[in-house]
Amino acid sequence: MVRQAPLWTALLAGAVLLALATIAAVGRGVAVARRAAGAGTPVAEVARLLAQQRRSTLAADRLLWRSGPAAVCVAAALAALVVPLGRWTAWDSPVGVVWFNAMEVVVWAGLWLVGWGANSVWGVVAGYRFLAQGLAYELPHMFALTTVALGAGSLRVGDVVAAQSGLWFVVWMPVAFVAYLVAALAMAFWGPFDAPAQADLAGGLGAELSGVDALLLRAGRYLMLTAAAAFAVPAFLGGGAGPLLPAWLWSLLKTVAVLGFLVWLRDRLPTVRMERYTELSWLVLLPATLVQALLVAIVVLLR
Amino acid sequence: MGLTTALRRRTPLRPLIVTAPGGEPARMAVERWCDRHAWSPAYAPAQANALVVCGPGSAALDAVVAEVWHQLPLPRRRVTVRAADDADAALRHALAALRSPSYRPDDAAEPDGHGTGGPRYPEPDQPAPDLPAQGGPGGHDGPGEPGGHREHGEPSGYDVHGHEHGGHDDRAHEHSAHEGGHEHSGHEDGGHGHGHGHGGMVLPGGVAMADRGADRDGLMLDRLHVTLGPALYPWPAGLTVRLVLQGDVVQEAAAELLPAGPRHSVVPAVRLLDQAHCLLVLAGWPGAARDARRLRDAVRAGAAPTGYRRWATRVRRSRMLRWSLSGLGPLPGGGPGTPTGAGSSAGARARAGAVPPTGAGPANDVYGRLSAWLDGLDAVFAGRAIELVEPDPGLLPAALAGGDLAAARLVVASLGAAPVHEPVPERA
Amino acid sequence: MTAVLLVAGVASLAVLALYGVGRLVRVAAQGAPRAPFLSGNPPVEHALSRYHVRWYTVTMLFLAFDMEMVFMYPWTLVVATVGASAVIEMFAFLAVLFAGVLYAWREGALRWV
């Protein structure tokens, strides 16, 4: 059902990712201002950061520090590569699900480098905070992805979409879907999981970044959030399946819906303190996703 | 350059707000101005393009402001807002300057604070700082300067810095001399000693490595000295808290206050809403924080606090907020809700009969204090009078030690003025 | 695989291009290093110190599960063919690991403040 598209569509995937991330940022601007005029704020911020002087801190590890935000952006683009758009996919990898997982973990390294490189107490604490967050969100996330692969009997994203032609995975794997959405927020340090970039750490990871470096970190955050929202569509929401409209449009609409929900959450919830979330994640979310995986495994055996 | 100018014209103002003691009304006015534009204030100098000092200046604060000013990237403006009424004009002025096509990031034209603070770190190995190679002091007075933003004869009450040059540009020469003398551009690994050896070790920037000390588990671990305040946002005006950290655990804390500024008669509702706003910002709930700020501004403007009930219900009902804030920062006295519990303040003792608003009394933690503020606000908007008890900064060290850095700022924010209700039935 | 190299290359170029645009429109070159932000106070020490990571026991726990994932991804492909024994073995293994989580929790490893 999902077919390999020509090579140039790989670049199209990146362009679509960037466009959706821009929509998310502009939408957030509107939500903050609670009026349409706010749409200009993210655009103006981009202009400001482009023109702003970059800065360096005392004895900063500049190479590592600068490569962090760039790594997050590139990892998001690579993660989005395996997401099919309707009936086409830019890279029909036989291990697409694992690939997405791997690219998402690159973000750990990128954010850690951002925090470490500045030689600033805010960055260092924020970097360690993100690692603690990673330890808390990653396992439920991986079990959610495994459950999806189990249900499809394949790690190929196209096969996952095909397996949902009868019933979307979100219907019979709701726990995995919720765990996936939680992880999507956490990997983009977004919403209630924004402790590594929070006001109580003077901006945390971004406390000492200015200019293009700061722009890349913020862009990377939106790109990662968008990539995570986009992957939820083939994994749980039936890919491009839908009536009337063409499949590629359904893919886009579902992505925008998931992304909009994640962005909307930002203002609705306070930040979760990681030392509290860790316990919840390991003792509630992890067993819940394990039971979900077991149920799916039994269904797979029976059919 | 055409593109630079075009981009500049859209620049939003991102102020790093520093509040001097007594500058709270000015700060609220600045926040309101930003809110109207849907721009959020910065939390660190790197994110800012304006340094806004609210309230009257003081010598102690000036040194701190000079240090922070040095950390702002270009383009930047320094704004002093002495009184709330001046905020609008001063900020518009600064924004116009930042957006002006003739703005030149000429450091010599910016007060760099080198007379007072400046970097105390030898950096001769560095390439030239943010000074354009051309144009010494005075070179910034280019032709075609639109009138207005460089004039000194501003209305009194505020001033936009950026015009003073005398005495501040010595660093320009100093650094161009360095640049000529040492051509190590790009190296910052500090392998070159500058006579700042610490026990024979040569460290970059003349700053030491962290020293070790026993932690609570008896391990010898690096101790980091971190100072919070006074140039921090959001943060109580004039407060400085010196922390000793191991990792992000606070081992020791010490608090000091700048001399108090002029006292403003602040309506209790404004004070409580403002405190709730700061706490919610730090708790990472931008939506609720924004609503608290808008309610505060409405009350300040004398308008009806429409939407208060909805906001208060939302904050009270949030399980995640309770989950995140409860158990943080218990006070040694275990006082119910009020930071002056255990009779540590004479004022509280005087009102010995005072009871916390709700019968049971809120818990002795950050969440409990926030609940007490909400109860106080309920009372105010129901038409009852409440009194506020000022916090006792002496309680801070014990409340902070043992927590982590994240909790530290929440705890400080929670130790604001606490409402005390007159014990209505007993006295009547 | 070509697509991966293409996207990695183009994304990296885009990042570099952004730096290039920034270089063209910036108001000033990167200046001398500044002291890290400490609320207007000069730093006493470098922030890069040996950090007290209080949650390090969680990393041990995580590693155990993370290694398990190495088996779990290929396992998903063979469940249908191998049958019930695959499911029983995998979830027995997971149960053992989760018993470890419960033990660590009882020992307080998941709380660090």
Side-chain angles (χ1 to χ4, degrees):
Chain A
M1 194 164 123
V2 173
R3 292 196 314 266
Q4 170 77 49
L7 186 61
W8 61 268
T9 54
L11 299 181
L12 184 68
V16 170
L17 181 75
L18 192 61
L20 288 173
T22 310
I23 291 173
V26 170
R28 166 102 177 111
V30 174
V32 167
R34 291 188 191 170
R35 57 174 191 268
T41 304
V43 182
E45 272 290 295
V46 170
R48 179 178 81 86
L49 290 175
L50 269 180
Q52 192 181 45
Q53 180 189 32
R54 290 168 65 205
R55 65 202 283 285
S56 169
T57 46
L58 188 68
D61 195 330
R62 247 192 258 183
L63 177 67
L64 298 186
W65 190 23
R66 306 298 196 215
S67 55
V72 175
C73 291
V74 174
L78 288 175
L81 192 56
V82 292
V83 179
L85 184 67
R87 277 180 282 124
W88 304 284
T89 180
W91 184 35
D92 192 20
S93 165
V95 288
V97 176
V98 183
W99 174 262
F100 180 82
N101 198 173
M103 287 305 106
E104 168 258 312
V105 175
V106 170
V107 173
W108 289 34
L111 292 182
W112 163 252
L113 292 182
V114 174
W116 170 261
N119 191 17
S120 154
V121 65
W122 308 114
V124 173
V125 171
Y128 276 107
R129 258 194 206 182
F130 184 77
L131 289 190
Q133 179 162 316
L135 295 176
Y137 87 78
E138 186 63 25
L139 281 176
H141 173 61
M142 288 203 286
F143 280 114
L145 290 181
T146 335
T147 310
V148 166
L150 187 60
S154 169
L155 292 168
R156 190 186 294 269
V157 182
D159 295 342
V160 173
V161 174
Q164 297 176 66
S165 56
L167 190 62
W168 292 1
F169 282 175
V170 65
V171 179
W172 57 295
M173 306 176 187
V175 177
F177 183 60
V178 170
Y180 179 85
L181 285 187
V182 168
L185 293 168
M187 73 179 72
F189 51 112
W190 184 266
F193 297 97
D194 61 344
Q198 241 268 65
D200 62 4
L201 285 183
L205 296 169
E208 301 290 349
L209 285 174
S210 72
V212 180
D213 303 305
L215 178 60
L216 280 174
L217 183 66
R218 287 200 219 172
R221 186 181 197 184
Y222 274 106
L223 288 171
M224 202 59 225
L225 192 71
T226 310
F231 193 78
V233 175
F236 293 98
L237 300 174
L244 299 177
L245 299 175
W248 62 270
L249 193 54
W250 271 116
S251 284
L252 280 183
L253 286 177
K254 288 175 188 175
T255 305
V256 169
V258 175
L259 186 58
F261 173 68
L262 297 181
V263 170
W264 174 80
L265 272 183
R266 178 72 201 88
D267 271 353
R268 310 297 302 176
L269 299 172
T271 299
V272 174
R273 294 166 53 73
M274 211 26 69
E275 71 267 16
R276 310 224 160 146
Y277 178 72
T278 298
E279 207 167 23
L280 178 85
S281 178
W282 280 84
L283 294 177
V284 179
L285 217 47
L286 181 64
T289 49
L290 283 179
V291 170
Q292 172 81 87
L294 180 61
L295 290 177
V296 170
I298 292 170
V299 170
V300 167
L301 282 184
L302 292 181
R303 80 176 169 200
Chain B
M1 185 178 293
L3 184 56
T4 316
T5 316
L7 290 180
R8 183 82 56 69
R9 219 172 287 133
R10 312 211 49 181
T11 287
L13 195 75
R14 286 267 280 162
L16 180 68
I17 303 173
V18 179
T19 315
E24 287 87 354
R27 169 177 60 79
M28 294 182 204
V30 171
E31 286 170 346
R32 172 150 190 269
W33 190 86
C34 292
D35 188 46
R36 276 215 311 269
H37 290 84
W39 298 335
S40 49
Y43 301 120
Q47 303 151 0
N49 59 7
L51 181 61
V52 179
V53 183
C54 297
S58 67
L61 196 65
D62 282 350
V64 166
V65 166
E67 175 88 26
V68 172
W69 172 249
H70 186 63
Q71 294 168 345
L72 253 71
L74 299 174
R76 56 186 180 183
R77 298 302 283 184
R78 187 145 92 182
V79 185
T80 306
V81 179
R82 294 197 204 289
D85 293 341
D86 307 327
D88 186 58
L91 293 172
R92 261 193 295 129
H93 204 72
L95 184 63
L98 281 169
R99 286 180 166 181
S100 155
S102 58
Y103 176 92
R104 296 256 203 89
D106 188 348
D107 229 13
E110 309 263 8
D112 211 344
H114 277 89
T116 47
R120 268 144 274 197
Y121 331 100
E123 358 172 86
D125 292 342
Q126 303 306 325
D130 42 8
L131 305 167
Q134 83 288 10
H140 58 279
D141 248 316
E145 204 76 294
H149 80 281
R150 278 195 185 273
E151 284 161 22
H152 288 262
E154 300 298 340
S156 60
Y158 75 89
D159 47 69
V160 178
H161 296 267
H163 331 310
E164 315 163 2
H165 8 279
H168 284 297
D169 41 25
D170 45 341
R171 187 158 165 265
H173 306 301
E174 191 188 45
H175 271 278
S176 39
H178 283 316
E179 198 190 13
H182 311 251
E183 279 294 349
H184 294 299
S185 53
H187 293 272
E188 56 176 320
D189 47 11
H192 321 276
H194 312 308
H196 276 261
H198 287 258
M201 272 176 74
V202 181
L203 294 161
V207 176
M209 294 307 286
D211 212 348
R212 288 181 301 166
D215 87 328
R216 57 183 179 184
D217 302 324
L219 302 166
M220 290 296 277
L221 290 166
D222 282 357
R223 295 152 66 95
L224 208 56
H225 295 82
V226 171
T227 311
L228 300 179
L232 196 60
Y233 176 85
W235 186 256
L239 178 67
T240 306
V241 174
R242 296 183 197 283
L243 302 175
V244 179
L245 296 181
Q246 282 175 332
D248 62 350
V249 192
V250 177
Q251 298 290 320
E252 294 163 29
E256 52 198 78
L257 272 170
L258 291 179
R263 300 209 63 83
H264 299 275
S265 58
V266 180
V267 187
V270 170
R271 184 84 189 272
L272 291 178
L273 282 168
D274 186 51
Q275 289 175 178
H277 157 244
C278 293
L279 184 58
L280 289 169
V281 165
L282 292 172
W285 193 359
R290 203 158 48 233
D291 288 347
R293 191 171 62 231
R294 286 175 186 172
L295 283 168
R296 176 197 77 190
D297 293 336
V299 176
R300 279 184 72 225
T306 42
Y308 166 74
R309 192 121 318 271
R310 240 187 79 210
W311 170 78
T313 312
R314 206 169 127 212
V315 173
R316 277 207 180 94
R317 283 210 186 137
S318 171
R319 284 202 198 158
M320 266 172 85
L321 191 69
R322 177 193 297 263
W323 186 41
S324 287
L325 297 186
S326 55
L328 286 184
L331 292 177
T338 71
T340 43
S344 52
S345 143
R349 253 199 310 264
R351 279 182 297 274
V355 291
T358 51
N364 175 25
D365 58 16
V366 173
Y367 189 77
R369 275 162 238 150
L370 177 64
S371 307
W373 301 345
L374 289 175
D375 293 341
L377 284 166
D378 282 349
V380 173
F381 292 132
R384 279 181 282 146
I386 59 164
E387 265 186 85
L388 296 184
V389 182
E390 290 301 315
D392 176 3
L395 291 172
L396 267 177
L400 296 181
D404 68 2
L405 188 58
R409 287 192 65 180
L410 288 168
V411 171
V412 170
S414 77
L415 289 179
V420 175
H421 298 220
E422 294 303 321
V424 186
E426 281 85 354
R427 287 209 184 152
Chain C
M1 209 55 212
T2 332
V4 172
L5 293 176
L6 182 70
V7 167
V10 171
S12 306
L13 280 179
V15 167
L16 286 179
L18 204 60
Y19 275 113
V21 172
R23 210 181 165 81
L24 283 177
V25 303
R26 69 186 178 188
V27 293
Q30 182 174 319
R34 304 297 199 226
F37 177 52
L38 279 176
S39 316
N41 302 278
V44 183
E45 310 103 341
H46 288 284
L48 302 182
S49 54
R50 279 158 294 184
Y51 191 93
H52 185 188
V53 181
R54 289 165 298 151
W55 35 264
Y56 70 95
T57 41
V58 185
T59 62
M60 300 292 116
L61 213 52
F62 179 79
L63 271 184
F65 270 94
D66 211 30
M67 285 314 296
E68 194 272 340
M69 292 311 292
V70 175
F71 306 115
M72 196 139 178
Y73 273 126
W75 168 82
T76 58
L77 302 179
V78 298
V79 171
T81 47
V82 176
S85 68
V87 174
I88 292 167
E89 282 169 23
M90 178 52 84
F91 280 91
F93 183 41
L94 282 169
V96 172
L97 282 181
F98 195 73
V101 173
L102 289 178
Y103 173 74
W105 169 64
R106 212 194 60 177
E107 294 291 307
L110 301 182
R111 274 178 180 273
W112 63 83
V113 169

